[in-house]
Amino acid sequence: SRNGNKWKDFHIYLHDFANLPSGRGEDTLSPAFECNGLRWRLIVYPGGHDAAQEGYVSVFLTLGSPGTATITFDINILQKFGTRFDRPIDINTFDIISGRSYGASNLVKRSDILDPSKNLLDDNGTLAFIVSIKEEETEAMPTAFVPNNPFLDMIQEKFLDEETADVCFEVSSSEIEED
């Protein structure tokens, strides 16, 4: 917990990062994950988003559920040994609309990720991100007491009784031939 708030962490792994499409504007979409009752995805541009500086990797969080939401989150790279990289996307709060995304166009240089001395890729070439989302408090709705009502059963019984029913329908099938 940070400042008394609850946060949920999601680990996103991009296997064989060096061989992912790395042209400018080419993205890789993470599997969906859920937090606060909504579906989220991470969009990674290994060669940078169109608005990125040359040579930078871009990362964005996008809302996959319909509608809008207010979200507080941060994104970071997990280094090879499990520590957080020193260039996180700082904690941000956004009103986000379905299909829109927020993050960083210039998160880190691609060359730094591929440099073995920086320890950003694990031994298998996997790049790991950690997405932390602040969990929103939801007020529990009181359980409403709904008493059993026999009215429906009584009405159905009367409709199905030939003695008390006002109208009786008989349905049969027939075939009609067309010329």
Side-chain angles (χ1 to χ4, degrees):
S1 91
R2 300 180 214 175
N3 299 329
N5 296 314
K6 290 185 181 179
W7 290 75
K8 191 165 185 179
D9 291 337
F10 300 90
H11 294 113
I12 308 295
Y13 299 97
L14 297 181
H15 301 285
D16 199 19
F17 179 81
N19 292 316
L20 291 176
S22 60
R24 182 174 282 254
E26 291 183 298
D27 65 4
T28 299
L29 197 59
S30 79
F33 51 95
E34 290 193 21
C35 189
N36 298 329
L38 299 168
R39 291 172 51 98
W40 302 95
R41 292 186 122 158
L42 198 63
I43 304 172
V44 180
Y45 294 85
H49 184 267
D50 293 335
Q53 293 176 17
E54 187 65 37
Y56 276 82
V57 173
S58 306
V59 181
F60 299 93
L61 182 66
T62 188
L63 175 60
S65 298
T68 62
T70 300
I71 180 171
T72 303
F73 72 97
D74 68 11
I75 302 171
N76 208 325
I77 295 174
L78 279 180
Q79 293 178 305
K80 179 179 179 176
F81 302 110
T83 57
R84 291 176 186 244
F85 189 52
D86 64 353
R87 290 190 197 124
I89 296 175
D90 293 327
I91 296 172
N92 292 296
T93 301
F94 292 106
D95 291 324
I96 193 166
I97 300 169
S98 182
R100 299 283 311 267
S101 56
Y102 292 94
S105 291
N106 303 305
L107 179 66
V108 64
K109 287 184 177 180
R110 180 176 169 79
S111 59
D112 285 348
I113 292 174
L114 299 175
D115 180 349
S117 71
K118 304 279 185 187
N119 293 317
L120 296 178
L121 296 177
D122 71 9
D123 292 336
N124 298 317
T126 299
L127 181 64
F129 287 96
I130 185 165
V131 179
S132 301
I133 299 177
K134 181 180 166 189
E135 291 185 296
E136 299 298 328
E137 295 291 326
T138 56
E139 293 182 23
M141 295 295 290
T143 305
F145 172 72
V146 179
N148 188 11
N149 187 347
F151 183 72
L152 178 63
D153 292 335
M154 291 170 28
I155 293 294
Q156 283 180 334
E157 184 180 311
K158 294 295 180 190
F159 276 128
L160 298 175
D161 184 354
E162 290 182 21
E163 302 279 324
T164 59
D166 289 341
V167 179
C168 182
F169 292 97
E170 186 172 321
V171 178
S172 63
S173 68
S174 62
E175 292 184 22
I176 299 174
E177 290 187 25
E178 292 185 24
D179 291 332

